[in-house]
Amino acid sequence: MSNDQPTSGQPPEDDPFLKKPQEPQPPSSGSPYDSAPPPPPPPPYDPGPPGGGQFGAADPLAGMPPLAEPGKRILARLIDFLIISIPLYLISLFWGGAVEVSDNNDDDVSDMFAQTYSGHQLLWSLIALVIYVAYDTYFTHKDGRTLGKRLLKLRVAMLNDGSVPDTGSSFLRAVVLWLPALLCCPCLWWLINIVLMFTDKPYRQALEDKAAKTVVVTTN
C-alpha cells in the first residue's frame, strides 16, 4: 500500500467536514476602505418646475423663473390700461366726457404732479378706480396674469413660495397701484414705479409688489 494514503480511521486534514469556521479578523490598517473618500453630499433641493409653487427655502429666488424685464412690465401695463380706458372713455361720452385734468396756471413745479377735479370728473375717476381695481384683482387672483401680462408671457407670483396671489394680496396690490395713479399724483406715481422696476434689488419690486409681497416673473 502506498505511503500517500491516510492512516485508517484518520481523515485527511483538508477534509471540509472537519474544518472549523474561521474567527473574524479585525480590519487591517491597510484596508482600502480606510483611505476611501467620504460619500458625496446629497444633491441640492430640487424646487420643481418653474411656477410650481416651490422656491428655495433660503433664497426666494432659488428655483424661481427669471424675473420679468422692466420694459415688458411697462408694455403689459400699458396694454391693460388701454383695454380698460378706451371702452370707459367711449361710454363716458354719453354722460359728458371722461375725466379731464383742469387747467392750472400756477407756476409751482408741484402742480405738474397734481390733478383737480370737478364733481363730474371725480365721479368718473371713482368709477374708473373701481373698474381698474376689480380688473387687476380678478386676473391676478385667477392665475397671476392680466391680459397684458398674458400677451407678454409674464405672471405675478408670491415672493415667498411662487404661488398665485390670494384675493387679499391681489386686492392690496391693485389698490396700491391704481388709487394714487387715478386720484392723486399719476405722473409721480408712475415715475417712482418705473424707476423701482429698473433699480430695486434683487427682486425688481414696484410699490405694489412691495405692499403685497409679490414679484413679476416670466412664463413659458
Side-chain angles (χ1 to χ4, degrees), residues 47-66:
Q54 292 292 336
F55 291 174
D59 183 2
L61 287 176
M64 184 191 297

Side-chain angles (χ1 to χ4, degrees), residues 17 36 39 54 88 90 98 106 154 162 164 166:
F17 295 99
Q54 292 292 336
L88 187 63
L90 295 176
D106 294 338
L154 307 178
V164 173
D166 58 21

Side-chain angles (χ1 to χ4, degrees), residues 33-52:
Y33 295 102
D34 293 342
S35 59
Y45 171 69
D46 182 7

Side-chain angles (χ1 to χ4, degrees), residues 48-205:
Q54 292 292 336
F55 291 174
D59 183 2
L61 287 176
M64 184 191 297
L67 293 172
E69 293 294 330
K72 286 189 174 182
R73 291 187 61 177
I74 295 170
L75 183 56
R77 183 59 65 194
L78 179 60
I79 292 173
D80 291 328
F81 178 78
L82 294 176
I83 287 174
I84 300 175
S85 62
I86 292 177
L88 187 63
Y89 173 78
L90 295 176
I91 294 172
S92 72
L93 293 178
F94 294 98
W95 286 274
V99 176
E100 295 180 357
V101 179
S102 65
D103 294 333
N104 201 327
N105 297 323
D106 294 338
D107 295 330
D108 192 344
V109 178
S110 63
D111 291 337
M112 66 183 296
F113 299 116
Q115 290 190 80
T116 56
Y117 299 95
S118 66
H120 175 78
Q121 293 168 346
L122 180 60
L123 175 62
W124 276 104
S125 293
L126 293 175
I127 293 174
L129 175 63
V130 171
I131 294 174
Y132 279 110
V133 169
Y135 170 89
D136 246 274
T137 301
Y138 172 77
F139 283 106
T140 301
H141 174 59
K142 179 182 178 184
D143 60 3
R145 299 181 293 174
T146 60
L147 299 181
K149 287 183 174 64
R150 188 182 299 274
L151 289 175
L152 294 178
K153 300 184 183 303
L154 307 178
R155 182 175 76 87
V156 179
M158 296 302 297
L159 176 61
N160 62 337
D161 61 3
S163 62
V164 173
D166 58 21
T167 303
S169 298
S170 301
F171 177 74
L172 176 61
R173 192 177 191 277
V175 169
V176 172
L177 173 65
W178 290 112
L179 180 61
L182 294 176
L183 297 182
C184 174
C185 40
C187 295
L188 181 60
W189 198 249
W190 292 124
L191 178 61
I192 293 173
N193 263 346
I194 290 173
V195 170
L196 282 175
M197 289 180 195
F198 284 93
T199 61
D200 181 71
K201 302 294 182 182
Y203 305 128
R204 296 179 184 171
Q205 288 179 300

